Amino acid sequence: MNKIILLGYMGCGKSTIAKLLAQETGLPFMDLDDIIEQRENNSIKSIFEVKGEIYFRKIEHAILTELSVSSESFVLSLGGGTPCYANNHELLIGSGISSIYLKASISELYDRLVQNKAKRPLIAAMKNEDLEEFIAKHLFERSFFYTKAKYTVHIDGKSPQTVVAEIETLLV
Ligand code: S3P
């Protein structure tokens, strides 16, 4: 069993890197937000709006638990908040699990997220001038959980291919 789990703040490239890594390793690609959307038959944005964040966090925890006890192998990208709720960070260190924190600086995250706020309920309505400070505080709070991952890879200024190659050297 080989479970590779990518985590990190919104906009750090978890899904893009996970897809590429899945191609390289031949493992199936899975994205936790996609699975939630399929199960709920609804977008993340709408789940937050209609049912609320607590409901979303319950489903997120239930699906991550299900995946981590299954005998399946995969490359899984988490949502940015996944490790920070319901003790999910404890699911990142079991046997057969390689968890990787894709670590980005505040300015790199700002540059990426300012273009892509709309589908992310936590920042969709935020003014651009408030975004950088929000990321700084939020990342500070969340770093405790992100750093529970088995490995950390710095992603600033690197292409997805370079990040994937670095991850592969960690996993051999
Ligand atoms: C969230 C990040 C999102 C998604 C949800 C909540 C968060 O995933 O799970 O909007 O709490 O940071 P991405 O990191 O893929 O944007």
Side-chain angles (χ1 to χ4, degrees), residues 10 14 33 44 48 56-57 60 79-81 120-122 142:
M10 290 179 272
K14 299 177 289 290
D33 281 344
I44 300 292
F48 266 70
F56 172 82
R57 297 300 174 194
E60 183 180 50
R120 295 187 161 98
L122 296 180
R142 287 182 163 189

Side-chain angles (χ1 to χ4, degrees), residues 4 39 42 52 56 63 85 92 94 125-126 145 160 162 165:
I4 303 174
R39 295 242 183 132
N42 212 344
F56 172 82
I63 298 175
Y85 293 88
L92 303 175
M126 196 169 289
F145 300 97
T162 305

Side-chain angles (χ1 to χ4, degrees), residues 32-50:
L32 191 56
D33 281 344
D34 289 352
I35 299 172
I36 295 170
E37 289 187 333
Q38 282 155 20
R39 295 242 183 132
E40 288 293 300
N41 199 17
N42 212 344
S43 67
I44 300 292
K45 190 165 181 279
S46 168
I47 298 169
F48 266 70
E49 274 165 18
V50 177

Side-chain angles (χ1 to χ4, degrees), residues 1-164:
M1 184 183 69
N2 185 10
K3 300 182 195 297
I4 303 174
I5 302 184
L6 302 189
L7 56 131
Y9 200 74
M10 290 179 272
C12 71
K14 299 177 289 290
S15 307
T16 306
I17 307 285
K19 261 181 221 160
L20 267 177
L21 188 60
Q23 277 168 20
E24 291 286 325
T25 56
L27 294 170
F29 161 71
M30 293 187 188
D31 180 273
L32 191 56
D33 281 344
D34 289 352
I35 299 172
I36 295 170
E37 289 187 333
Q38 282 155 20
R39 295 242 183 132
E40 288 293 300
N41 199 17
N42 212 344
S43 67
I44 300 292
K45 190 165 181 279
S46 168
I47 298 169
F48 266 70
E49 274 165 18
V50 177
K51 302 204 164 162
E53 182 172 354
I54 294 172
Y55 178 85
F56 172 82
R57 297 300 174 194
K58 282 188 184 155
I59 309 271
E60 183 180 50
H61 175 66
I63 298 175
L64 181 63
T65 305
E66 216 177 276
L67 289 173
S68 48
V69 298
S70 80
S71 54
E72 283 174 82
S73 294
F74 49 72
V75 181
L76 173 71
S77 48
L78 301 183
T82 314
C84 318
Y85 293 88
N87 288 333
N88 289 338
H89 64 285
E90 291 173 358
L91 300 173
L92 303 175
I93 48 176
S95 74
I97 296 180
S98 303
S99 50
I100 301 151
Y101 170 28
L102 302 180
K103 185 171 182 175
S105 66
I106 295 159
S107 59
E108 176 92 23
L109 293 169
Y110 174 81
D111 290 344
R112 290 166 176 231
L113 288 171
V114 81
Q115 332 266 6
N116 289 297
K117 292 191 301 184
K119 69 175 177 62
R120 295 187 161 98
L122 296 180
I123 55 171
M126 196 169 289
K127 289 188 195 135
N128 288 350
E129 59 263 38
D130 297 331
L131 185 61
E132 190 156 4
E133 197 185 337
F134 175 82
I135 295 169
K137 288 185 180 157
H138 207 203
L139 184 60
F140 179 76
E141 288 162 14
R142 287 182 163 189
S143 291
F144 170 82
F145 300 97
Y146 293 157
T147 54
K148 301 293 176 227
K150 230 176 235 177
Y151 306 102
T152 296
V153 172
H154 293 259
I155 62 119
D156 278 20
K158 293 178 188 166
S159 69
Q161 288 74 13
T162 305
V163 175
V164 168

